Amino acid sequence: VLQCCGDEVGSAWPLVLAMLKSVAQDCEEPGARHMKAFMCVQLIRNDFLSALPVDCLQLLLTTVGAFGMQPSDLNMSLTAITLLWNIADFFGRERSALLSAFSEVGFHGSSAAPQVHNVDALWLVLYHQLRVLSVDQRIEVRNSALRTLFTALETHGDLLEQTSWAQVVNELLLPVLRDVRESALSAGDASVEQRLGNGGGASGEAMLIHHTRNTESKQWHATWDTAFQGVARTFQIFLPVVR
């Protein structure tokens, strides 16, 4: 239906996105249904992003984030992070159009979730999805999310109003450092095993892991290094703004 009639969905976009998000959040029955739903999300991002009403973009971000957080499919989570980066790039390119759209749309508070009312708030929703993924139990997911978060901030951070940087610091950067540090300190020294195959399930073939990250503690400390360096670099670039 989306492939044939996506341009005509119109006011039904919130329903479509909510249905897809509910599939991502249903962890009891992972499998083909998740993959089909995620393919729909990819189609929306690739073909219909510019056609989405501006008041649906927050729901799109949280839907993509939900697919990133699902624990059963590693490749799906990594692809979701890539989609968040692609959407960030879109926001950067289309800033003028988004500003105009937000000035025209009416918000009535009918949504269960708090609605974003400006472009900065939309950026913060996107960054929050990456912030949550940056403490995922899977090292591949959290490291990818951290790199994407810092790259997005370095690339598009100058688009944020100065007042929004207080939220970036207090709700994103400092909590990321805190949570990653706490996980690194509490991680055990038991050996970790990684398996080839989708999601790294038990049915995959065991893969050797380098001795520098063959325990949970070593992996979380590697993530801590990534987080600390990323936060330090962000402060260095935007110090005049956040000061």
Side-chain angles (χ1 to χ4, degrees):
V1 173
L2 285 176
Q3 286 180 327
C4 298
C5 308
D7 291 326
E8 302 176 12
V9 173
S11 60
W13 277 118
L15 176 61
V16 172
L17 291 169
M19 289 171 55
L20 296 173
K21 184 177 181 179
S22 69
V23 174
Q25 294 173 330
D26 180 8
C27 298
E28 296 182 0
E29 301 179 5
R33 191 162 65 98
H34 279 71
M35 181 55 66
K36 290 179 180 178
F38 187 58
M39 290 173 63
C40 290
V41 173
Q42 290 178 290
L43 179 65
I44 292 169
R45 156 61 191 95
N46 294 333
D47 292 359
F48 303 112
L49 183 55
S50 59
L52 284 180
V54 70
D55 53 351
C56 290
L57 292 175
Q58 177 184 8
L59 183 54
L60 174 64
L61 290 170
T62 57
T63 300
V64 176
F67 277 102
M69 295 168 207
Q70 57 74 36
S72 60
D73 192 319
L74 174 61
N75 290 334
M76 185 181 294
S77 295
L78 295 175
T79 304
I81 293 171
T82 300
L83 289 181
L84 289 172
W85 164 250
N86 292 338
I87 295 172
D89 191 50
F90 171 82
F91 287 172
R93 293 195 316 270
E94 301 297 329
R95 176 174 173 79
S96 297
L98 290 173
L99 288 171
S100 176
F102 271 111
S103 68
E104 297 173 1
V105 72
F107 295 93
H108 307 291
S110 59
S111 173
Q115 289 182 306
V116 298
H117 294 76
N118 55 62
V119 179
D120 271 25
L122 199 59
W123 276 110
L124 292 173
V125 172
L126 187 151
Y127 292 141
H128 179 72
Q129 305 309 305
L130 293 168
R131 178 257 182 278
V132 173
L133 287 164
S134 69
V135 291
D136 192 277
Q137 291 301 307
R138 298 163 292 181
I139 184 173
E140 301 91 347
V141 174
R142 63 177 183 261
N143 285 355
S144 177
L146 281 170
R147 288 192 293 267
T148 303
L149 172 62
F150 295 131
T151 300
L153 281 170
E154 291 169 21
T155 305
H156 303 294
D158 58 343
L159 299 177
L160 290 175
E161 299 290 340
Q162 186 170 6
T163 53
S164 296
W165 269 99
Q167 289 179 269
V168 170
V169 172
N170 295 318
E171 299 177 16
L172 293 171
L173 299 182
L174 297 182
V176 160
L177 284 180
R178 180 197 64 218
D179 293 348
V180 173
R181 184 60 175 168
E182 289 177 355
S183 295
L185 291 174
S186 63
D189 292 323
S191 298
V192 295
E193 185 180 70
Q194 188 169 1
R195 293 185 174 272
L196 297 173
N198 188 35
S203 60
E205 182 178 349
M207 183 176 64
L208 291 175
I209 300 178
H210 194 268
H211 69 86
T212 57
R213 61 172 202 164
N214 60 359
T215 68
E216 287 187 1
S217 178
K218 291 178 181 178
Q219 290 188 350
W220 274 107
H221 277 85
T223 301
W224 163 254
D225 289 341
T226 300
F228 183 81
Q229 292 171 15
V231 170
R233 189 169 60 250
T234 302
F235 275 120
Q236 183 179 27
I237 295 172
F238 295 104
L239 184 59
V241 180
V242 301
R243 181 178 296 172

